[in-house]
Amino acid sequence: MKKILITGGTTFVSKYAASYFCEHGYEVFVLNRNTKKQVSGVTLIEGDRHNLGGKLKNLHFDVVADITAYNAQDIIDLTDLLGSFDQYIMVSSSAVYPEDGTQPFIEECERKPNKFWGKYGTDKIEAENALLQKVHDAYILRPPYLYGAMNNVYREAFVFDCARLDRPFYLPGDGSMKLHFFHVKDLCRIIEKIIETKPAEHILNVGNEQPVSIKDWVTLCYKCLSKTPVFVEVSKKIEQRNYFCFYDYEYLLDVKKQKPLLSKTIALEEGLKEAADWYFANEQEVRKKDYLKYIDEKLQENL
């Protein structure tokens, strides 16, 4: 039984990963401050990654899955405090690529600040750099928008709410802007394949092969509730982040290098249905934003 250390373990991606690897026969350790309910079956290492003392020094892990590293100091402090390990896999982000770069982004593209992601993106660049200095053979994964069960970010859940309330959907422009997604389970499957096969490629874009337009994505979300959206087009002059859950930023990753590890990804329709079922059973776990309030109080009067 392989021992895997997962940083986090109580929110979205890290929580899903903890559950996934427990179900797939791993001995799962999670590192968090124990402020939320833990996944059943894990062994908790309680503490802050920046101040662990000697809690990790006498432990060996087959795999470290670092899902909550957001900046260089996160990497430096954890790697300094770890005992021994065989593999280190970091979940980074496609936010490391600049918005004006040549698309689709390949792994060799220059990493630069992205005006939409700001400090989040530049911090991820610095975290990647720090990791490769500390662990030369580490693996780095760069996903686009992640979705699926346990998602506490108000994205697909926002559209599910609109569908549940039989509201028209206020669409940025004509809805043709593309979004790129990846199911959190597919991310876990990639991590497991890396553990099993130790591929030669150490930096990987991961994601669905094709993006989807906003309009088609919203339609699929409504379909999860057996409903069809009525669209209201909103001028691009109105800031879309006030009433919609994504930036006005279209990008595409080249994910060819993931093919040997994951030949087929979860269909978006299937993944969204799972996300909807989870959301309606766990609504209290999602951090909701005031999109509906803005639509009702400000947007409608400006149309």
Side-chain angles (χ1 to χ4, degrees), residues 19-295:
S19 178
Y20 177 93
F21 284 100
C22 279
E23 292 172 0
H24 284 73
Y26 287 71
E27 186 177 357
V28 178
F29 294 77
V30 294
L31 172 61
N32 61 65
R33 288 169 291 184
N34 199 23
T35 59
K36 298 177 182 178
K37 184 179 179 180
Q38 303 295 327
V39 169
S40 176
V42 304
T43 297
L44 171 65
I45 300 172
E46 184 174 344
D48 186 304
R49 67 189 293 153
H50 301 289
N51 187 27
L52 290 170
K55 289 185 178 182
L56 300 178
K57 281 298 182 184
N58 295 323
L59 297 175
H60 172 80
F61 298 105
D62 297 290
V63 187
V64 176
D66 198 347
I67 296 171
T68 60
Y70 294 102
N71 57 51
Q73 202 62 49
D74 287 344
I75 293 290
I76 293 166
D77 288 350
L78 181 61
T79 53
D80 284 347
L81 296 171
L82 279 169
S84 61
F85 59 90
D86 294 332
Q87 286 180 292
Y88 199 115
I89 303 169
M90 173 194 169
V91 177
S92 184
S93 171
S94 56
V96 300
Y97 299 119
E99 79 285 350
D100 57 356
T102 301
Q103 298 189 32
F105 295 120
I106 61 173
E107 290 84 352
E108 294 77 18
C109 281
E110 183 179 11
R111 297 165 303 148
K112 290 172 57 180
N114 182 305
K115 71 177 183 181
F116 293 97
W117 294 112
K119 189 174 186 297
Y120 172 77
T122 53
D123 280 353
K124 280 288 192 180
I125 292 172
E126 292 173 3
E128 289 187 5
N129 293 342
L131 178 57
L132 293 176
Q133 289 175 2
K134 302 283 284 185
V135 185
H136 299 299
D137 60 349
Y139 288 90
I140 293 173
L141 304 179
R142 296 174 182 159
Y145 294 116
L146 291 164
Y147 79 105
M150 304 185 190
N151 188 359
N152 65 320
V153 183
Y154 200 42
R155 288 175 178 160
E156 58 263 28
F158 163 59
V159 188
F160 297 149
D161 277 346
C162 291
R164 176 171 54 177
L165 297 168
D166 292 313
R167 294 177 64 99
F169 195 85
Y170 289 81
L171 197 65
D174 63 2
S176 61
M177 190 187 94
K178 298 290 196 304
L179 298 170
H180 200 165
F181 290 103
F182 196 45
H183 196 284
V184 64
K185 184 176 183 178
D186 283 336
L187 178 68
C188 292
R189 291 167 65 203
I190 285 274
I191 292 172
E192 188 171 25
K193 282 292 187 180
I194 289 172
I195 295 168
E196 292 172 350
T197 66
K198 298 180 174 61
E201 296 288 351
H202 280 249
I203 299 177
L204 293 168
N205 291 336
V206 294
N208 293 348
E209 264 192 81
Q210 298 298 328
V212 62
S213 71
I214 294 174
K215 192 170 187 177
D216 289 344
W217 176 71
V218 171
T219 300
L220 288 175
C221 289
Y222 271 68
K223 188 177 180 181
C224 293
L225 282 75
S226 301
K227 295 184 179 182
T228 302
V230 174
F231 291 108
V232 178
E233 293 188 9
V234 180
S235 169
K236 285 287 191 175
K237 294 179 181 179
I238 297 175
E239 173 53 55
Q240 75 178 46
R241 282 291 281 159
N242 290 330
Y243 66 92
F244 185 61
C245 46
F246 292 97
Y247 290 111
D248 184 13
Y249 170 47
E250 177 180 290
Y251 74 96
L252 178 62
L253 297 177
D254 183 313
V255 295
K256 292 186 183 71
K257 289 184 180 180
Q258 84 176 9
K259 274 284 191 181
L261 302 175
L262 191 68
S263 60
K264 187 177 181 181
T265 58
I266 294 168
L268 192 55
E269 182 173 349
E270 176 188 343
L272 287 171
K273 184 63 172 66
E274 178 199 282
D277 291 343
W278 176 86
Y279 172 58
F280 292 125
N282 301 274
E283 191 170 346
Q284 73 284 353
E285 294 191 28
V286 177
R287 301 194 311 265
K288 296 195 177 186
K289 294 192 174 183
D290 291 332
Y291 300 131
L292 296 178
K293 182 179 179 182
Y294 179 86
I295 290 168

